[in-house]
Structure formats: C-alpha cells, structure tokens
Amino acid sequence: MLNIGCHLSSAKGFTNMGKEALSINANTFQFFTRNPRGAKAKQIDQQDIAGLCNILKQHRFAPLTAHAPYTLNPCSADPSIRQFALETMKDDLERMELLPHNYYNFHPGSHVKQGVEKGINLIADMLNKVLKPEQTTTVLLETMSGKGSEVGRSFEELKAILDKVDLSDKLGICLDTCHVYDGGYDIVNHLDAVLNEFDAIIGLEKLKAIHLNDSKNPYKSHKDRHEVIGGGYIGIEALVRIITHPKLCHLPFYLETPNELEGYAKEIAVLREKYNAVLC
C-alpha cells in the first residue's frame, strides 16, 4: 500500500488534520510544530491530540512527520540563534512524545561562512544535548539543495553529522526529491546509482521518509523551489519510479507541492492510481 500524504495546517487542530487527511485519501501527513517563520507554539490540547491518536489507530496511518520551523538554525554564527534552535527542538521533542513513534524533521542549517566542518560540529553538539535515550521520536535530517551555506547538501555531510551524535539510533534521513535533484543527484536518469551511493555512504536503513516534490529548476541548479507533481523538471514518470522502487515503496511520502487541499487530493489520486498499476 502506498503511504502518502501532504503538508497540512495545524491551525485548526490535530483532530481536524486527521479528518482532512482522510478526506483526501491520505494515510499520513506532515505539519509544522509551531509558526514556521517564528517561535510561537500552540498550547497543548490533550483532548485534541487524543482525537487524532484515535484516527491514526483506527485507519492504520503510517508515521506522521512534524516539521521544525524554518527559523531553526543550530549552526548559526550567532550564539543566540543557536540557543533558540536548542530550546525550540527540546520543546518540540517533548511535545512529540504526546504523539509517540513518529518523526521530527529539520533543515540542518546554514554555517554562515564559518565553514562546513564547523557547521557540522555545531549541529551535532545541539543534537547531543537534546536527544534522550527514552524518546520514541526519530529526528530526521533533511537533504538540502545546496543554496548558500546550507549544511546537508551531500550525503557525506549528513553522514558526518550522524557520526558525531552519541544517540545516532534516534536519527534518520528525510530525502527531499526536489532538493537532491537541485543539489546534483540525478534521480531522474540514475535513481539506482543515487540509492546505491546513499547506501554506501549512510545506509538505506537510515532513510525513513521522503518529501515528494517536483522541481521548478533544472538538475544541479542549487535553488530549492518546489513544483506540483509532473509540472517540473523531475516529471511524473521519475516520481512514480521513486514511489514504486522496491527499496523505497515501503516509506511514507509527504507532498510539499504548491497546492491547496483540493490540489493535494488530485495528486494523491493520480499517484495511487499509478502506484497500483505498477505494483498490483
């Protein structure tokens, strides 16, 4: 079965996100833990969370992914920004234990002219401070497109972070199709080679989730601008090869395409149809 969903707004509450997911034939979804461009998080509503947990169990949802705010930069040159990242992730991970055994995804950050090695060390240092042996949440490092001074533009950089974290069993990778294609991994023409490279450097057992997006920009552009499925340079045929690949088809896929709920519903319907045509 294809485990697929999209990014939903948490503004209306957790139970409503579950209901919205069901309304578009999704069996997972992604949401922001708090204001994506700020720091504010909603007050916890235990009854609302219980309502979502009931939906997840009743309909056998695949793992959900909570996305950290974009303002989180654990390798900033500014100590106050690094402290904000630490405090925000610590709080988010405590909140995530109310939705146990799910994922928490974050952009590794930008080293801001400090150098990649320094950036990697700062990211690992934060993770060593916030990860706990008893947590059920798996923290996902997202693959990046390589714009500016981003860390995580290569599999080697992600591996370097993993190697410096004591509780690396609490970590995984979220592969963003737009990001890796823009970053120089040719998933359109050489998907198997890219997966073999990932396996050799990081290990496919660490790949926990996929952001399924087309790209507005061509291969190796280092831009990071998502496009609707089939509307960009990756194309629907390549994306279908990804969701049906024997090494990937068991993973949860999250659409982050420029869409409203109706658009997501159409993309999910098309992808389910193509997935079933290949695998059924």
Side-chain angles (χ1 to χ4, degrees):
M1 178 174 66
L2 177 62
N3 296 314
I4 191 166
C6 63
H7 193 100
L8 297 176
S9 171
S10 59
K12 295 180 181 179
F14 286 98
T15 303
N16 279 328
M17 282 195 291
K19 291 178 179 177
E20 278 193 335
L22 291 175
S23 76
I24 58 173
N25 199 22
N27 61 343
T28 185
F29 61 87
Q30 178 176 266
F31 62 96
F32 279 116
T33 56
R34 57 189 66 221
N35 184 331
R37 300 291 180 184
K40 189 175 181 180
K42 289 180 64 175
Q43 187 174 354
I44 293 172
D45 183 335
Q46 297 279 6
Q47 187 174 354
D48 185 30
I49 291 175
L52 173 60
C53 288
N54 184 56
I55 291 173
L56 302 181
K57 182 178 180 180
Q58 183 179 354
H59 296 277
R60 298 182 179 181
F61 271 46
L64 309 182
T65 289
H67 200 301
Y70 295 130
T71 47
L72 193 152
N73 184 7
C75 60
S76 171
D78 185 334
S80 65
I81 294 176
R82 296 201 303 270
Q83 184 64 25
F84 167 79
L86 187 150
E87 292 174 359
T88 298
M89 185 176 289
K90 181 176 182 294
D91 184 52
D92 281 349
L93 291 179
E94 290 172 356
R95 288 165 171 265
M96 284 300 294
E97 290 306 300
L98 298 172
L99 286 168
H101 304 290
N102 287 296
Y103 299 145
Y104 177 82
N105 179 76
F106 78 106
H107 294 180
S110 295
H111 61 73
V112 199
K113 298 181 180 180
Q114 299 177 97
V116 174
E117 184 176 356
K118 177 69 172 179
I120 287 169
N121 288 335
L122 289 171
I123 295 163
D125 180 62
M126 181 199 68
L127 290 169
N128 279 324
K129 290 175 180 175
V130 300
L131 297 179
K132 305 297 181 186
E134 65 274 14
Q135 74 183 55
T136 68
T137 303
T138 300
V139 175
L140 305 182
L141 297 158
E142 184 171 342
T143 57
M144 304 309 295
S145 65
K147 68 179 188 296
S149 61
E150 286 179 337
V151 178
R153 66 181 64 202
S154 70
F155 299 156
E156 287 85 357
E157 290 182 10
L158 295 171
K159 172 63 171 171
I161 297 169
L162 295 173
D163 285 346
K164 292 178 179 292
V165 176
D166 297 331
L167 297 176
S168 60
D169 61 309
K170 303 296 182 182
L171 294 176
I173 303 296
C174 177
L175 186 148
D176 186 299
T177 55
C178 172
H179 293 178
V180 294
Y181 187 68
D182 286 14
Y185 292 96
D186 191 356
I187 56 173
V188 174
N189 300 300
H190 302 290
L191 177 59
D192 283 326
V194 172
L195 294 180
N196 288 339
E197 184 175 353
F198 185 99
D199 194 29
I201 296 169
I202 297 175
L204 279 171
E205 70 280 359
K206 281 293 187 183
L207 182 56
K208 304 296 184 182
I210 292 181
H211 285 163
L212 197 70
N213 304 302
D214 214 322
S215 175
K216 288 182 181 292
N217 296 103
Y219 172 65
K220 216 171 184 178
S221 60
H222 303 292
K223 293 291 187 181
D224 181 14
R225 292 189 64 204
H226 298 186
E227 183 56 280
V228 297
I229 299 300
Y233 282 89
I234 297 176
I236 193 165
E237 290 184 2
L239 293 170
V240 170
R241 286 196 293 273
I242 289 169
I243 64 174
T244 57
H245 195 285
K247 293 181 179 178
L248 304 176
C249 60
H250 63 288
L251 297 172
F253 297 89
Y254 308 97
L255 297 164
E256 294 180 321
T257 52
N259 264 315
E260 300 295 333
L261 198 63
E262 182 180 356
Y264 283 134
K266 291 178 180 178
E267 288 185 336
I268 289 171
V270 168
L271 291 168
R272 284 199 183 283
E273 180 182 4
K274 291 185 176 295
Y275 175 92
N276 292 332
V278 172
L279 294 186
C280 289

